[in-house]
């Protein structure tokens, strides 16, 4: 049995893996023993005589399964929570996306005609003051108080 430790070290460096992940073709040990430069090792890698073994990392199967369940809303009870409600869902980002959606809808209604400028400004200010929880609540308020149809 030939000592191929130098070749293994070079191959690990060339392949950018650990020494334990280098595979030598058992049929070509003589050829590998003659490879003494990095260039020789690179040639053997190109031929397939030296190959990197697959990495053995922790399996992500269970993690994917858990992530799928959490996306569906399971496994998110009080015992699984670390951090306050504000840390788990940023209140400012939540507010920003809601108010942008409401203001976008108000602009659409103003530009398409159902709302005039003064109604738009009044509703804009109410939205900014937190009067409406969502675009749906805003539209319901408009239909009830302005006798306007807001359906697209």
């Amino acid at each position: 049995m030939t000592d191929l430790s130098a070749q293994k070290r070079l191959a690990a460096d060339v392949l950018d893996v650990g020494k334990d992940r280098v595979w030598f073709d058992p049929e070509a040990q003589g050829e590998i023993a003659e490879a003494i430069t990095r260039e020789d090792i690179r040639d053997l890698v190109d031929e397939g005589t030296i190959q990197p073994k697959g990495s053995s990392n922790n399996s992500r199967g269970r993690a994917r399964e858990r992530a799928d369940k959490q996306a569906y809303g399971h496994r998110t009870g009080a015992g699984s929570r670390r951090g306050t409600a504000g840390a788990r869902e940023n209140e400012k980002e939540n507010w920003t996306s809601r108010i942008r959606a409401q203001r976008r809808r108000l602009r659409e209604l103003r530009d398409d005609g159902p709302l005039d400028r003064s109604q738009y400004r009044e509703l804009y200010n109410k939205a900014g003051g937190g009067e409406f929880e969502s675009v749906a609540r805003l539209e319901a308020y408009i239909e009830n108080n302005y006798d306007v149809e807001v359906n697209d």
Side-chain angles (χ1 to χ4, degrees), residues 46-57:
D46 291 341
E47 291 171 20
T49 307
I50 298 176
Q51 296 175 6
K53 291 180 189 170
S55 63
S56 56
N57 298 330

Side-chain angles (χ1 to χ4, degrees), residues 5 49 93 146:
S5 55
T49 307
E93 286 175 11
Y146 290 101

Side-chain angles (χ1 to χ4, degrees), residues 104-117:
R104 194 180 313 120
R105 186 66 178 128
L106 282 172
R107 275 195 301 276
E108 288 169 7
L109 293 171
R110 180 195 62 194
D111 295 341
D112 294 347
L115 293 180
D116 62 35
R117 285 175 63 237

Side-chain angles (χ1 to χ4, degrees), residues 13-27:
D13 200 40
V14 166
L15 293 169
D16 200 23
V17 297
K19 285 185 263 191
D20 289 343
R21 280 185 56 194
V22 174
W23 175 85
F24 288 157
D25 184 354
E27 305 295 313

Side-chain angles (χ1 to χ4, degrees), residues 24-70:
F24 288 157
D25 184 354
E27 305 295 313
Q29 285 196 349
E31 193 181 345
I32 294 169
E34 291 170 12
I36 55 172
T37 66
R38 285 173 187 275
E39 191 56 46
D40 295 339
I41 298 291
R42 274 192 283 271
D43 290 341
L44 292 174
V45 168
D46 291 341
E47 291 171 20
T49 307
I50 298 176
Q51 296 175 6
K53 291 180 189 170
S55 63
S56 56
N57 298 330
N58 292 344
S59 167
R60 292 271 318 149
R62 287 180 299 278
R64 275 191 292 273
E65 196 174 316
R66 189 164 55 250
D68 290 344
K69 284 187 177 172
Q70 285 175 338

Side-chain angles (χ1 to χ4, degrees), residues 65-102:
E65 196 174 316
R66 189 164 55 250
D68 290 344
K69 284 187 177 172
Q70 285 175 338
Y72 201 68
H74 295 187
R75 304 179 72 109
T76 54
S80 302
R81 296 180 195 165
R82 310 268 295 179
T84 62
R88 287 169 60 83
E89 183 177 15
N90 190 324
E91 293 161 20
K92 182 172 181 176
E93 286 175 11
N94 193 348
W95 162 261
T96 305
S97 67
R98 281 202 336 260
I99 194 66
R100 282 178 180 171
Q102 290 172 26

